[in-house]
Amino acid sequence: MRLSPVRLTTAVRRLAAGAALALLLTACGEEPPPAPTPEVPRASLERTSFQALPGWQADRLDEAMPALRSSCDRMARGNSYPAAPEFLTEDARAAFPGAAAWRDACAALLAVPAGAGVRLRQVLTTWFAPFAVADAATGSRDGTFTGYYEAELRGSPVRQGRYQIPVHGVPSDLVSVNLRAFDDSLPAQTLVGRVDGGKLVRYHDRAALETGAAGAAAPVVMWTDDAVDLHVLHIQGSGRVVLPDGTTTRLSYAGNNGWKFVGLGRILLDAGVLPPGQGSMQHIRAWLKANPQVAADYMRQNPRYIFFRRNDGAGPIGAQGVPLTPLRSMAVDTRFMPMGAPLWLDAVDPDGRPLQRLMVAQDVGSAIKGQVRGDFFWGTGEGALAHAGRMKSTGRYFVLLPVAARS
């Protein structure tokens, strides 16, 4: 889910053209002492065989065809094929396929008819090679796989009756600054804030935004009737809205306020109001709805705020800009994994059953960080929540990369 940049003002351009912009976000405006350079994490790739992929012969590959097709079609139409992720090892980056290999492999995938699982298996084994992904420092292939879903809530395009809680779009005074735009040696980081007195300062946090700090700068794209379901929408990043006449529309991620995400499970567990082992989304949501007198205070301890746009088309839309496919789309950390890449997942579902299947990297998430880390998209509504809210599995994955372009 990507942040939509907002044009910088002249004042911000002057401020940004100097040294590191991070110091502009400090409250006092004084230069902090230099921070130690953190060790850069790296992911390694080791080539393996399709026969070594756990469950390879058992998967219904044709069910992944909509996800593969949407990603390849997006890349082909934009002529934007994956480059080597920044934090691969040097050897992995050197061996990463170029645009020609991706173009030819995608053309082969797009030629596979719908429902032709046998043909798809042949194309994958001909045009791709699987690589095990690992933490380069430790060699471990194990990572954490969680689940997410498309939230569902009730809403109205106009404020009326029970619909009194605003869902905000991107504020007109929100500014995002890509450090690399000013100096290629700076980190690949985007700073989010607003201009105040000629300085770039942090944008309002959740508590301030929910009490009207942004004023008219933050447009309202929808009105809803449930603050807890709205907070769940912020966590999931997109949702389906049931309108008063029974029709539906969607809300898609449009931006955020730049603050770090703090999970409600952690907040409620630390406060002692939820016992250990009951930090699933189902338990969290049920407790908040049962305790409306304190729910708002706890939710405001998560300072991160998401802004939305209305989406009347297919969805939900992931970070690659394509509709997500239930049970086949995954959110990843793009420092290590390229958008649009086919993945082979080897994990378990919330009930301990094997989850071994072909996926596609089509989304990101603020909590999805690490060399081997994924968020499994379960679909829409309460049925999907029943799985997504409970999933936290140790597993591994393999990335399928195109072999050399064919003549």
Side-chain angles (χ1 to χ4, degrees):
M1 292 162 247
R2 295 175 181 169
L3 179 66
S4 302
V6 180
R7 179 173 295 180
L8 296 176
T9 64
T10 302
V12 177
R13 292 180 190 275
R14 290 199 302 266
L15 290 167
L21 293 176
L23 62 87
L24 296 175
L25 298 179
T26 59
C28 63
E30 297 177 358
E31 184 174 358
T37 302
E39 183 178 351
V40 176
R42 298 285 178 186
S44 63
L45 302 178
E46 182 179 351
R47 185 165 179 169
T48 184
S49 67
F50 282 96
Q51 290 69 30
L53 301 181
W56 167 250
Q57 294 298 334
D59 187 30
R60 295 179 59 89
L61 295 179
D62 56 299
E63 294 176 358
M65 197 62 218
L68 292 167
R69 185 177 296 278
S70 61
S71 282
C72 273
D73 183 65
R74 174 81 176 190
M75 291 188 284
R77 284 188 290 108
N79 195 29
S80 55
Y81 296 95
E86 183 177 13
F87 289 156
L88 293 182
T89 61
E90 290 186 12
D91 287 347
R93 286 178 59 83
F96 197 84
W102 282 100
R103 182 179 61 247
D104 291 352
C106 268
L109 282 175
L110 290 171
V112 176
V118 173
R119 176 59 180 153
L120 176 57
R121 193 178 298 274
Q122 292 172 341
V123 167
L124 288 170
T125 55
T126 300
W127 290 89
F128 291 85
F131 291 79
V133 184
D135 181 331
T138 66
S140 175
R141 295 182 180 180
D142 291 338
T144 300
F145 293 87
T146 48
Y148 72 117
Y149 76 113
E150 184 184 27
E152 189 171 80
L153 66 164
R154 296 179 298 270
S156 169
V158 296
R159 189 175 189 175
Q160 59 171 318
R162 63 197 291 182
Y163 304 105
Q164 297 294 317
I165 304 169
V167 182
H168 288 293
V170 177
S172 59
D173 62 346
L174 185 143
V175 175
S176 65
V177 182
N178 183 343
L179 296 183
R180 286 274 176 89
F182 298 94
D183 188 337
D184 289 341
S185 67
L186 292 175
Q189 181 180 355
T190 298
L191 302 180
V192 178
R194 59 190 177 88
V195 178
D196 184 9
K199 293 182 179 180
L200 183 65
V201 299
R202 297 194 80 165
Y203 205 74
H204 309 294
D205 66 7
R206 173 179 295 278
L209 285 165
E210 289 187 346
T211 52
V220 177
V221 297
M222 189 68 62
W223 296 89
T224 186
D225 63 350
D226 193 300
V228 174
D229 286 344
L230 176 57
H231 198 101
V232 172
L233 175 70
H234 281 230
I235 294 171
Q236 301 302 317
S238 63
R240 185 168 65 182
V241 183
V242 180
L243 301 174
D245 63 0
T247 62
T248 61
T249 187
R250 282 187 161 93
L251 294 173
S252 297
Y253 175 94
N256 68 74
N257 65 344
W259 288 76
K260 185 177 180 180
F261 171 80
V262 180
L264 279 175
R266 183 77 273 147
I267 292 169
L268 296 179
L269 288 169
D270 287 348
V273 298
L274 277 183
Q278 295 202 5
S280 71
M281 181 58 70
Q282 291 95 321
H283 287 117
I284 291 168
R285 192 175 71 160
W287 189 92
L288 292 170
K289 284 179 178 267
N291 296 273
Q293 68 278 9
V294 294
D297 291 337
Y298 283 119
M299 290 189 291
R300 285 173 181 169
Q301 291 182 35
N302 170 24
R304 189 173 180 84
Y305 194 94
I306 304 301
F307 304 109
F308 295 91
R309 61 180 176 84
R310 185 164 171 173
N311 169 27
D312 293 320
I317 305 298
Q320 196 189 7
V322 300
L324 300 179
T325 301
L327 312 182
R328 296 292 174 169
S329 295
M330 183 175 289
V332 298
D333 186 340
T334 54
R335 296 177 301 171
F336 311 103
M337 189 59 55
M339 281 285 96
L343 307 171
W344 185 261
L345 175 64
D346 177 25
V348 295
D349 72 9
D351 297 311
R353 295 171 297 200
L355 199 57
Q356 298 168 333
R357 59 181 51 208
L358 184 62
M359 308 288 294
V360 184
Q362 294 181 318
D363 209 357
V364 300
S366 61
I368 311 306
K369 303 297 180 187
Q371 294 93 322
V372 184
R373 180 72 172 93
D375 212 15
F376 186 98
F377 179 63
W378 283 95
T380 301
E382 296 297 315
L385 169 61
H387 294 92
R390 296 185 295 121
M391 184 171 176
K392 190 172 185 181
S393 166
T394 297
R396 53 185 176 156
Y397 61 14
F398 305 77
V399 59
L400 276 55
L401 297 178
V403 295
R406 308 301 176 91
S407 59

